[in-house]
């Protein structure tokens, strides 16, 4: 029996955030891994402390252990598309292509990468409205709520993402502003990663909203991160403003097959608790497929519907903002949480992280698949 113990970070919300204790990743037995996997799906975001010596290879191997048939990085080679909004944010570790380096500032030499300048995503480059320059280091926003997923082609959304904090700027906090007319705000550590539970997001829906979500699917845009590259985000980071700035289909890279367009359930199921998560990437939604066969294809309407479903779930009381320490290895259930980059850094504040996720070997399990299993 494993000695690994999960300590919830918030006893009032044990389903979002825990520290795993008595973990030796260099000597991880099958029972130890089973304990980590169980903790992940019970708490959905788990942190293993003091992993400074974890190599990129070991990080990739641990991430793959959650889905042994998974092979490629979650975005495959689509990350190389120069027009993708993801392109500036990630650097690939040369000797471990499943692992990406992210952060902020100049790094002379790291894991075979030389003289790289990392750019922490800043809301000024992505949001329709911005915080005034004079408040920039004191205040911040959620940059973009999302799931780690290509959402195009044969690349299924990864089951799990691992994040390792290699270098973390010290000490200050920022006031996170929703700037959406609600007055909502949150005090957060500098450069936090914010998480919300898709299970909570589903649980707090009205009965009518739950039925709609259980019986609807989202059609994502082709080449989604190129398609929306000219659009701007809402101030809460939860989806885009509709201004007809999306690229026309004939301006995108070729669509090789209609099957490459991903149509996924709105609701995905936890493999252990069996709970349902409202799991939608709001920035790249394009259509809603309804149970009766009708399709909602007015983009502004689609975005408004998705925002109305998701916005209650990012209220301040539901957000877990991880306070990063160097050596923290965080694993999160990418089929059950949304997350967002947060923070505005001074140019001399260097942040260095490693990220790994792998395109899943099978698509998410939604209510329709469960019903089919029962027939």
């Amino acid at each position: 029996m494993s000695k690994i113990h999960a300590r919830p970070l918030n006893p009032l919300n044990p389903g979002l955030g825990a520290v795993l204790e008595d973990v030796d990743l260099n000597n991880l037995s099958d029972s130890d891994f089973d304990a980590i996997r169980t903790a992940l799906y019970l708490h959905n975001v788990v942190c293993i402390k003091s992993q400074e010596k974890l190599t990129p290879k070991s990080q990739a191997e641990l991430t793959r252990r959650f889905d042994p048939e998974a092979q490629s990085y979650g975005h495959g080679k689509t990350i190389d598309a120069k027009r993708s909004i993801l392109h500036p944010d990630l650097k690939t570790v040369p000797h471990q292509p499943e692992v990406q380096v992210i952060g902020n500032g100049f790094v002379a030499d790291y894991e075979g990468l030389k003289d790289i300048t990392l750019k922490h995503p800043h809301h000024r480059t992505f949001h329709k409205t911005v915080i005034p320059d004079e408040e920039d280091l004191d205040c911040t926003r959620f940059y973009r709520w999302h799931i780690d997923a290509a959402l195009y082609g044969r690349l299924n959304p990864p089951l799990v993402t691992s994040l390792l904090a290699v270098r973390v700027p010290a000490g200050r906090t920022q006031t996170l502003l929703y700037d959406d007319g609600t007055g909502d705000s949150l005090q957060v550590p500098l450069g936090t990663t914010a998480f919300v539970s898709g299970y909570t997001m589903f649980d707090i829906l009205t009965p009518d909203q739950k039925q709609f979500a259980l019986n609807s699917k989202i059609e994502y845009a082709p080449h989604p991160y190129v398609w929306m590259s000219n659009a701007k985000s809402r101030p809460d980071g939860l989806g885009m403003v509709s201004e007809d700035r999306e690229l026309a289909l004939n301006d995108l890279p070729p669509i090789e097959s209609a099957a490459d367009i991903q149509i996924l359930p709105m609701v995905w199921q936890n493999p252990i608790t069996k709970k349902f998560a409202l799991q939608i990437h709001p920035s790249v939604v394009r259509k809603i497929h309804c149970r009766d066969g009708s399709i909602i294809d007015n983009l502004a309407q689609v975005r408004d519907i998705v925002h109305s479903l998701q916005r209650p779930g990012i209220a301040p009381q539901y957000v877990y903002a991880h306070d990063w320490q160097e050596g923290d290895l965080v694993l999160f259930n990418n089929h059950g949480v949304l997350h967002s980059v947060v923070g505005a850094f001074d140019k001399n504040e260097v942040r260095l992280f490693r990220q790994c996720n792998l395109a899943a070997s099978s698509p998410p399990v939604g209510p329709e698949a469960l019903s089919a299993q029962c027939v």
Side-chain angles (χ1 to χ4, degrees):
M1 179 178 292
S2 174
K3 295 181 180 179
I4 292 174
H5 171 71
R7 174 172 56 83
L9 291 167
N10 180 359
L12 298 178
N13 186 14
L16 190 65
V19 171
L20 300 188
E21 298 172 336
D22 297 317
V23 180
D24 181 359
L25 291 180
N26 293 316
N27 296 283
L28 200 64
S29 68
D30 288 343
S31 62
D32 287 338
F33 175 75
D34 289 344
I36 293 174
R37 182 179 182 275
T38 297
L40 176 74
Y41 286 115
L42 291 179
H43 304 287
N44 298 296
V45 180
V46 296
C47 177
I48 306 171
K49 294 286 188 180
S50 304
Q51 297 303 312
E52 293 90 340
K53 295 182 180 179
L54 188 72
T55 66
K57 180 180 180 181
S58 295
Q59 183 178 355
E61 288 174 346
L62 175 62
T63 308
R64 182 172 285 112
R65 201 160 175 177
F66 289 91
D67 188 358
E69 296 180 22
Q71 295 299 321
S72 68
Y73 176 57
H75 286 269
K77 295 187 180 300
T78 62
I79 199 67
D80 295 329
K82 300 297 184 184
R83 292 184 293 167
S84 168
I85 60 166
L86 305 179
H87 176 72
D89 302 336
L90 303 168
K91 306 288 185 185
T92 300
V93 173
H95 58 86
Q96 200 69 47
E98 309 98 315
V99 178
Q100 311 297 317
V101 173
I102 59 177
N104 187 74
F106 176 77
V107 178
D109 186 0
Y110 183 71
E111 294 292 348
L113 294 166
K114 304 287 187 182
D115 297 328
I116 57 173
T117 299
L118 301 171
K119 294 183 179 180
H120 186 77
H122 191 289
H123 80 277
R124 188 184 296 113
T125 66
F126 186 58
H127 288 200
K128 173 68 175 175
T129 63
V130 299
I131 293 171
D133 287 350
E134 61 270 20
E135 300 176 22
D136 187 54
L137 295 182
D138 296 321
C139 299
T140 188
R141 289 181 179 174
F142 300 119
Y143 178 74
R144 177 173 60 244
W145 287 106
H146 65 286
I147 306 162
D148 286 339
L151 297 172
Y152 178 72
R154 311 305 164 91
L155 297 167
N156 294 311
L159 297 187
V160 175
T161 293
S162 63
L163 277 175
L164 177 69
V166 178
R167 187 170 174 183
V168 179
R172 60 188 177 90
T173 63
Q174 293 181 309
T175 301
L176 187 148
L177 304 174
Y178 285 63
D179 278 341
D180 61 355
T182 64
D184 281 349
S185 65
L186 193 65
Q187 203 68 20
V188 296
L190 175 65
T192 183
T193 304
F195 299 93
V196 291
S197 166
Y199 307 105
T200 298
M201 195 174 276
F202 178 79
D203 288 345
I204 63 178
L205 294 176
T206 68
D208 286 346
Q209 287 175 321
K210 286 181 180 178
Q211 284 304 306
F212 178 76
L214 286 166
N215 291 287
S216 301
K217 295 182 177 181
I218 292 290
E219 179 178 327
Y220 291 98
H223 300 288
Y225 305 105
V226 178
W227 171 79
M228 51 82 72
S229 57
N230 291 336
K232 295 296 182 181
S233 172
R234 297 174 185 260
D236 57 13
L238 193 69
M240 312 304 288
V241 177
S242 293
E243 300 177 299
D244 294 324
R245 297 181 59 146
E246 295 73 29
L247 295 186
L249 296 188
N250 58 9
D251 290 330
L252 296 175
I255 301 170
E256 295 180 3
S257 167
D260 287 338
I261 307 298
Q262 291 200 7
I263 302 173
L264 298 177
M266 283 190 177
V267 172
W268 303 358
Q269 193 183 46
N270 186 297
I272 289 180
T273 68
K274 306 304 179 185
K275 292 186 67 174
F276 286 129
L278 182 69
Q279 204 66 359
I280 304 169
H281 190 318
S283 295
V284 291
V285 296
R286 187 162 173 255
K287 299 178 183 180
I288 296 175
H289 291 243
C290 302
R291 183 177 185 177
D292 63 5
S294 63
I295 298 176
I296 303 172
D297 59 4
N298 179 290
L299 184 57
Q301 183 183 3
V302 169
R303 285 172 169 161
D304 286 346
I305 290 171
V306 170
H307 192 266
S308 69
L309 294 174
Q310 292 187 309
R311 175 58 179 85
I314 69 163
Q317 66 268 30
Y318 298 127
V319 176
Y320 166 51
H322 187 71
D323 189 0
W324 288 102
Q325 306 296 317
E326 290 182 2
D328 281 1
L329 176 69
V330 166
L331 305 169
F332 61 87
N333 170 15
N334 193 52
H335 283 202
V337 301
L338 269 68
H339 66 287
S340 176
V341 169
V342 179
F345 290 94
D346 191 21
K347 61 182 180 180
N348 296 321
E349 292 176 314
V350 177
R351 182 181 193 260
L352 180 62
F353 278 53
R354 290 205 315 258
Q355 178 212 68
C356 180
N357 59 62
L358 301 165
S361 56
S362 58
V365 174
E368 185 178 82
L370 294 174
S371 299
Q373 293 172 10
C374 298
V375 173

